[in-house]
Amino acid sequence: GTVPEEERCTVERADSSLTYALFLQRFAFSRPVILRGVTDNSAFRSLCTREKLLAAFGARPVRLSTANTYSYRKVDVPFQEYVEQLLKPQDPARLGSDTLYFFGDNNFTEWGHLFQQYVVPPFRIPGTSPAYSFGIAGSGSGVPFHWHGPGYSEVIFGRKRWFLYPPDQTPHFHPNETTLAWLHHTYPMLPEAQRPLECTLRPGEVLYFPHRWWHATLNLDTSVFISTFLG
């Protein structure tokens, strides 16, 4: 299943000509940017097909999280069960607390050899070190608005739509409402001046978001993705 794509993109883009000095000056502490061509993760992508992931991790447990902002409920299931039974399109009427989502709670002992094949975006924030969060989710799924430290997110398969607000502009949302419900109910009513920065990422594109920027995500297809948190 897929979710219709919005062509609107209000996040600045940059390519491999972006220097580290310019990244620090223009984006690192001030606004998000979409990077294209700064890394080549084709080898990592080849390891992330359904068949290869099931062969490598099918019997191993994964920890699922609920897709709402203020809940810490976790559910452990075998990876194969998640892929074959739970990886479905988002039900628009389902609350975030009833929606399970595989992202972030990776066992680095078991998944470490996969992450070793990932090429990290080259621009670091001084004084930070990277930590990975790998995820797979169905169309229409996503995490509602939240914030944390700076980081990157790359789409490996599928498309992922992002919505972002600066730290001083708290978005209007219900913490137990999924991103899909917010997009249907709240987003259309927003005046132009209150709309978030937004864009849809495709495979090979990397979004950088600065510290404390609010963001929500919506997977337009069944998607594989990885984030690099700079802490």
Side-chain angles (χ1 to χ4, degrees):
T2 59
V3 177
E5 181 175 342
E6 169 62 56
E7 294 298 327
R8 171 188 176 97
C9 182
T10 52
V11 180
E12 190 170 345
R13 294 179 181 270
D15 58 23
S16 57
S17 65
L18 180 68
T19 64
Y20 180 49
L22 197 55
F23 169 78
L24 289 177
Q25 176 186 339
R26 295 184 59 185
F27 304 111
F29 308 103
S30 57
R31 62 184 187 272
V33 61
I34 296 172
L35 304 172
R36 180 88 187 183
V38 298
T39 55
D40 178 5
N41 272 302
S42 54
F44 180 76
R45 186 173 298 110
S46 71
L47 300 175
C48 294
T49 63
R50 175 189 176 99
E51 293 75 16
K52 288 186 178 180
L53 287 176
L54 283 174
F57 304 103
R60 298 181 181 180
V62 292
R63 178 156 291 181
L64 311 181
S65 304
T66 50
N68 59 345
T69 298
Y70 299 122
S71 170
Y72 296 96
R73 175 174 167 242
K74 306 290 184 180
V75 176
D76 292 338
V77 300
F79 179 65
Q80 184 166 349
E81 179 182 334
Y82 174 71
V83 171
E84 295 181 350
Q85 299 182 31
L86 301 177
L87 187 59
K88 298 177 180 178
Q90 174 72 47
D91 180 348
R94 188 178 291 271
L95 294 175
S97 57
D98 298 324
T99 301
L100 294 173
Y101 188 81
F102 173 47
F103 174 61
D105 285 292
N106 306 126
N107 183 318
F108 286 89
T109 300
E110 296 181 343
W111 292 78
H113 73 277
L114 176 66
F115 298 154
Q116 289 172 8
Q117 305 304 312
Y118 180 65
V119 181
V120 188
F123 306 131
R124 305 293 177 84
I125 305 298
T128 67
S129 58
Y132 300 131
S133 288
F134 180 74
I136 303 171
S139 65
S141 64
V143 290
F145 281 105
H146 64 287
W147 60 264
H148 42 68
Y152 295 96
S153 184
E154 179 168 354
V155 174
I156 307 302
F157 289 110
R159 298 166 298 154
K160 181 186 286 285
R161 189 173 173 186
W162 281 76
F163 308 92
L164 305 107
Y165 283 101
D168 61 352
Q169 192 175 350
T170 303
H172 176 70
F173 71 102
H174 189 285
N176 201 25
E177 184 179 54
T178 64
T179 304
L180 185 61
W182 174 87
L183 182 66
H184 287 163
H185 303 149
T186 302
Y187 179 89
M189 309 304 293
L190 293 174
E192 188 68 25
Q194 294 180 23
R195 288 200 169 188
L197 291 179
E198 60 182 283
C199 204
T200 296
L201 265 67
R202 294 171 178 80
E205 294 184 318
V206 182
L207 174 73
Y208 169 77
F209 50 87
H211 180 58
R212 293 183 66 94
W213 270 67
W214 290 93
H215 52 280
T217 61
L218 180 69
N219 296 293
L220 302 186
D221 314 296
T222 298
S223 300
V224 178
F225 43 91
I226 186 168
S227 291
T228 306
F229 296 115
L230 304 174

Coordinates of all heavy atoms in Angstrom, one line a residue, residues 116-166:
Q116 N 27.9 -2.0 10.3 CA 29.2 -1.7 9.9 C 29.3 -1.4 8.4 O 30.3 -0.9 7.9 CB 30.1 -2.9 10.3 CG 30.4 -3.0 11.7 CD 31.1 -4.3 12.1 OE1 31.5 -5.1 11.2 NE2 31.2 -4.6 13.4
Q117 N 28.3 -1.9 7.6 CA 28.3 -1.6 6.2 C 27.7 -0.3 5.8 O 27.8 0.1 4.6 CB 27.5 -2.7 5.5 CG 28.0 -4.1 5.8 CD 29.5 -4.3 5.5 OE1 29.9 -4.0 4.4 NE2 30.2 -4.9 6.5
Y118 N 27.2 0.4 6.8 CA 26.5 1.7 6.5 C 27.6 2.8 6.4 O 28.4 2.9 7.3 CB 25.5 2.0 7.5 CG 24.8 3.4 7.3 CD1 24.0 3.5 6.2 CD2 24.9 4.4 8.2 CE1 23.3 4.7 5.9 CE2 24.3 5.6 7.9 CZ 23.5 5.8 6.8 OH 22.9 7.0 6.6
V119 N 27.5 3.7 5.4 CA 28.4 4.8 5.2 C 27.8 6.0 5.8 O 26.7 6.5 5.4 CB 28.8 5.1 3.8 CG1 29.7 6.2 3.6 CG2 29.4 3.8 3.1
V120 N 28.3 6.5 6.9 CA 27.7 7.6 7.7 C 27.9 8.9 6.9 O 29.0 9.1 6.3 CB 28.4 7.8 9.1 CG1 27.7 8.8 9.9 CG2 28.5 6.4 9.7
P121 N 26.9 9.8 6.9 CA 27.1 11.2 6.4 C 28.4 11.8 6.9 O 28.7 11.6 8.1 CB 25.9 11.9 6.8 CG 24.8 10.9 6.9 CD 25.6 9.7 7.5
P122 N 29.2 12.5 6.1 CA 30.5 12.9 6.5 C 30.6 14.1 7.4 O 31.6 14.4 8.0 CB 31.1 13.3 5.1 CG 30.0 13.7 4.3 CD 28.8 12.8 4.7
F123 N 29.5 14.8 7.6 CA 29.5 16.1 8.4 C 29.1 15.8 9.8 O 28.0 15.4 10.1 CB 28.6 17.1 7.8 CG 28.9 17.4 6.4 CD1 27.8 17.4 5.5 CD2 30.1 17.7 5.9 CE1 28.0 17.7 4.1 CE2 30.4 17.9 4.5 CZ 29.3 17.9 3.7
R124 N 30.1 16.0 10.8 CA 29.8 15.8 12.2 C 29.6 17.1 12.9 O 30.1 18.1 12.5 CB 31.0 15.0 12.8 CG 31.3 13.7 12.1 CD 30.2 12.7 12.3 NE 30.4 11.4 11.6 CZ 31.2 10.4 12.1 NH1 31.7 10.5 13.2 NH2 31.4 9.4 11.3
I125 N 28.9 17.0 14.0 CA 28.8 18.2 14.9 C 29.9 18.0 15.9 O 30.0 17.0 16.6 CB 27.4 18.2 15.6 CG1 26.3 18.2 14.6 CG2 27.3 19.4 16.5 CD1 26.3 19.3 13.6
P126 N 30.7 19.1 16.1 CA 31.8 19.0 17.1 C 31.3 18.5 18.5 O 30.3 19.0 19.0 CB 32.4 20.4 17.2 CG 32.0 21.0 15.8 CD 30.7 20.4 15.4
G127 N 32.1 17.6 19.1 CA 31.7 17.1 20.4 C 30.7 16.0 20.5 O 30.3 15.6 21.5
T128 N 30.3 15.5 19.3 CA 29.2 14.4 19.3 C 29.8 13.1 18.7 O 30.9 13.2 18.0 CB 28.0 14.8 18.5 OG1 28.4 14.9 17.1 CG2 27.4 16.2 19.0
S129 N 29.1 12.0 18.9 CA 29.5 10.8 18.3 C 28.2 10.1 17.8 O 27.1 10.3 18.3 CB 30.2 9.8 19.3 OG 29.4 9.6 20.4
P130 N 28.3 9.3 16.7 CA 27.1 8.8 16.1 C 26.5 7.5 16.8 O 27.3 6.7 17.3 CB 27.5 8.5 14.7 CG 29.0 8.2 14.8 CD 29.5 9.0 15.9
A131 N 25.2 7.4 16.8 CA 24.5 6.2 17.2 C 23.4 5.9 16.2 O 22.7 6.8 15.8 CB 23.9 6.3 18.6
Y132 N 23.3 4.6 15.8 CA 22.4 4.2 14.7 C 21.0 3.8 15.2 O 20.9 3.1 16.3 CB 23.0 3.1 13.9 CG 24.3 3.5 13.2 CD1 25.4 2.6 13.3 CD2 24.4 4.7 12.5 CE1 26.6 2.9 12.7 CE2 25.6 5.0 11.9 CZ 26.7 4.1 12.0 OH 27.9 4.4 11.4
S133 N 20.0 4.1 14.5 CA 18.7 3.5 14.7 C 18.1 3.1 13.3 O 18.0 3.9 12.4 CB 17.7 4.5 15.3 OG 18.1 4.7 16.7
F134 N 17.8 1.8 13.2 CA 17.4 1.2 12.0 C 15.9 0.8 12.1 O 15.4 0.4 13.1 CB 18.2 -0.1 11.7 CG 17.9 -0.9 10.5 CD1 18.3 -0.4 9.3 CD2 17.2 -2.1 10.5 CE1 18.1 -1.1 8.1 CE2 16.9 -2.8 9.4 CZ 17.4 -2.3 8.1
G135 N 15.2 1.0 11.0 CA 13.8 0.8 11.1 C 13.2 0.3 9.8 O 13.7 0.5 8.7
I136 N 12.0 -0.4 9.9 CA 11.2 -0.9 8.8 C 9.8 -0.7 9.1 O 9.3 -1.0 10.2 CB 11.5 -2.4 8.5 CG1 13.0 -2.7 8.3 CG2 10.6 -2.9 7.3 CD1 13.3 -4.1 8.2
A137 N 9.0 -0.1 8.3 CA 7.6 0.3 8.6 C 6.7 0.3 7.4 O 7.2 0.5 6.3 CB 7.6 1.6 9.3
G138 N 5.4 0.1 7.6 CA 4.5 0.0 6.5 C 4.0 1.4 6.1 O 4.3 2.4 6.7
S139 N 3.4 1.4 4.9 CA 2.9 2.7 4.4 C 1.9 3.3 5.3 O 1.0 2.6 5.9 CB 2.2 2.4 3.0 OG 1.1 1.6 3.1
G140 N 1.9 4.6 5.4 CA 1.0 5.4 6.3 C 1.5 5.4 7.7 O 0.9 6.1 8.5
S141 N 2.5 4.7 8.1 CA 3.1 4.7 9.4 C 4.0 5.8 9.6 O 4.4 6.5 8.7 CB 3.8 3.4 9.8 OG 4.9 3.2 8.9
G142 N 4.4 6.1 10.8 CA 5.4 7.1 11.1 C 5.3 7.5 12.6 O 4.5 7.0 13.4
V143 N 6.2 8.4 13.0 CA 6.2 8.9 14.4 C 5.7 10.3 14.4 O 6.0 11.1 13.5 CB 7.6 8.8 15.0 CG1 8.0 7.4 15.2 CG2 8.7 9.5 14.1
P144 N 4.8 10.6 15.4 CA 4.3 12.0 15.5 C 5.4 13.0 16.0 O 6.5 12.6 16.3 CB 3.2 11.8 16.5 CG 3.6 10.7 17.3 CD 4.3 9.7 16.4
F145 N 5.0 14.2 16.1 CA 5.9 15.3 16.4 C 6.7 15.0 17.8 O 6.0 14.7 18.8 CB 5.3 16.6 16.5 CG 5.0 17.2 15.1 CD1 3.7 17.2 14.6 CD2 6.1 17.7 14.4 CE1 3.5 17.7 13.3 CE2 5.8 18.2 13.1 CZ 4.6 18.2 12.6
H146 N 8.0 15.2 17.7 CA 8.8 15.1 18.9 C 10.1 15.8 18.6 O 10.3 16.3 17.4 CB 9.1 13.6 19.2 CG 9.9 12.9 18.1 ND1 9.3 12.5 16.9 CD2 11.2 12.5 18.1 CE1 10.2 12.0 16.2 NE2 11.3 11.9 16.8
W147 N 11.0 15.9 19.5 CA 12.3 16.5 19.3 C 13.4 15.8 20.1 O 13.1 15.2 21.1 CB 12.3 18.0 19.5 CG 12.0 18.5 20.9 CD1 10.8 18.9 21.4 CD2 12.9 18.5 22.0 NE1 10.9 19.2 22.7 CE2 12.1 19.0 23.1 CE3 14.2 18.3 22.2 CZ2 12.7 19.2 24.4 CZ3 14.8 18.5 23.5 CH2 14.0 18.9 24.5
H148 N 14.6 16.0 19.7 CA 15.8 15.5 20.5 C 17.0 16.1 19.9 O 16.9 17.2 19.3 CB 15.9 13.9 20.4 CG 15.6 13.4 19.0 ND1 16.4 13.6 17.9 CD2 14.6 12.6 18.5 CE1 15.9 13.0 16.9 NE2 14.8 12.4 17.2
G149 N 18.2 15.5 20.1 CA 19.4 16.1 19.6 C 19.5 16.1 18.1 O 18.6 15.5 17.4
P150 N 20.6 16.6 17.5 CA 20.7 16.6 16.0 C 20.9 15.2 15.4 O 21.3 14.3 16.2 CB 22.0 17.5 15.8 CG 22.8 17.3 17.1 CD 21.7 17.1 18.2
G151 N 20.7 15.1 14.2 CA 20.9 13.8 13.5 C 20.6 13.8 12.0 O 20.2 14.8 11.5
Y152 N 20.8 12.6 11.5 CA 20.6 12.4 10.1 C 19.5 11.3 9.9 O 19.5 10.4 10.8 CB 21.8 11.9 9.3 CG 22.9 13.0 9.2 CD1 24.0 13.0 10.2 CD2 22.9 13.9 8.2 CE1 25.0 13.9 10.1 CE2 24.0 14.9 8.1 CZ 25.0 14.8 9.1 OH 26.0 15.7 9.0
S153 N 18.8 11.2 8.8 CA 18.0 10.1 8.5 C 18.1 9.9 7.0 O 17.9 10.8 6.2 CB 16.5 10.4 8.9 OG 15.7 9.2 8.6
E154 N 18.3 8.6 6.6 CA 18.5 8.2 5.2 C 17.4 7.2 4.9 O 17.2 6.2 5.6 CB 19.9 7.7 4.9 CG 20.0 7.2 3.5 CD 21.5 7.0 3.1 OE1 22.4 7.3 3.9 OE2 21.7 6.5 2.0
V155 N 16.8 7.3 3.7 CA 15.8 6.3 3.2 C 16.6 5.3 2.4 O 17.4 5.7 1.5 CB 14.7 7.0 2.4 CG1 13.9 5.9 1.7 CG2 13.9 7.9 3.2
I156 N 16.4 4.0 2.7 CA 17.1 2.9 2.0 C 16.2 2.4 1.0 O 16.6 2.2 -0.2 CB 17.6 1.8 3.0 CG1 18.4 2.4 4.1 CG2 18.3 0.7 2.3 CD1 19.6 3.2 3.7
F157 N 14.9 2.1 1.3 CA 13.9 1.7 0.4 C 12.6 2.5 0.7 O 12.3 2.8 1.9 CB 13.6 0.2 0.5 CG 14.7 -0.7 -0.1 CD1 15.4 -1.5 0.8 CD2 14.9 -0.8 -1.4 CE1 16.4 -2.3 0.3 CE2 15.9 -1.6 -1.9 CZ 16.7 -2.4 -1.1
G158 N 11.8 2.8 -0.3 CA 10.6 3.5 -0.1 C 10.7 5.0 -0.1 O 11.7 5.5 -0.6
R159 N 9.7 5.7 0.3 CA 9.7 7.2 0.4 C 9.2 7.6 1.8 O 8.3 6.9 2.3 CB 8.8 7.8 -0.7 CG 9.2 7.5 -2.1 CD 8.1 7.8 -3.0 NE 6.9 7.0 -2.7 CZ 5.6 7.4 -3.0 NH1 5.4 8.6 -3.5 NH2 4.6 6.6 -2.7
K160 N 9.8 8.6 2.3 CA 9.4 9.1 3.7 C 9.2 10.6 3.6 O 10.1 11.3 3.2 CB 10.5 8.7 4.7 CG 10.1 9.1 6.1 CD 11.3 8.9 7.1 CE 11.5 7.4 7.4 NZ 10.4 6.9 8.3
R161 N 8.0 11.0 4.1 CA 7.7 12.4 4.1 C 8.0 13.0 5.5 O 7.7 12.3 6.5 CB 6.2 12.6 3.8 CG 5.8 14.1 3.6 CD 4.4 14.2 3.1 NE 3.9 15.5 3.0 CZ 2.6 15.8 2.7 NH1 1.7 14.9 2.4 NH2 2.2 17.1 2.7
W162 N 8.6 14.1 5.6 CA 9.0 14.7 6.8 C 8.3 16.1 7.0 O 8.1 16.8 6.0 CB 10.6 15.0 6.8 CG 11.4 13.8 7.1 CD1 11.6 12.7 6.3 CD2 12.1 13.5 8.3 NE1 12.4 11.8 6.9 CE2 12.7 12.3 8.1 CE3 12.2 14.2 9.5 CZ2 13.5 11.7 9.2 CZ3 13.0 13.6 10.5 CH2 13.6 12.4 10.3
F163 N 8.0 16.4 8.2 CA 7.4 17.7 8.6 C 8.3 18.2 9.8 O 8.5 17.5 10.8 CB 6.0 17.5 9.1 CG 5.1 16.8 8.1 CD1 4.9 15.4 8.2 CD2 4.4 17.4 7.1 CE1 4.1 14.7 7.3 CE2 3.6 16.7 6.2 CZ 3.5 15.4 6.3
L164 N 8.7 19.5 9.7 CA 9.7 20.0 10.7 C 9.3 21.4 11.1 O 8.9 22.2 10.2 CB 11.1 20.0 10.1 CG 11.7 18.7 9.6 CD1 11.7 18.7 8.1 CD2 13.0 18.4 10.2
Y165 N 9.4 21.7 12.4 CA 9.2 23.0 12.9 C 10.5 23.4 13.7 O 11.1 22.5 14.4 CB 8.0 23.1 13.9 CG 6.7 23.1 13.2 CD1 5.9 22.0 13.1 CD2 6.2 24.3 12.7 CE1 4.6 22.0 12.5 CE2 4.9 24.3 12.1 CZ 4.2 23.2 12.0 OH 2.9 23.2 11.4
P166 N 10.9 24.7 13.8 CA 12.0 25.1 14.6 C 11.6 25.0 16.1 O 10.4 24.9 16.4 CB 12.2 26.6 14.2 CG 10.9 27.0 13.6 CD 10.3 25.8 13.0

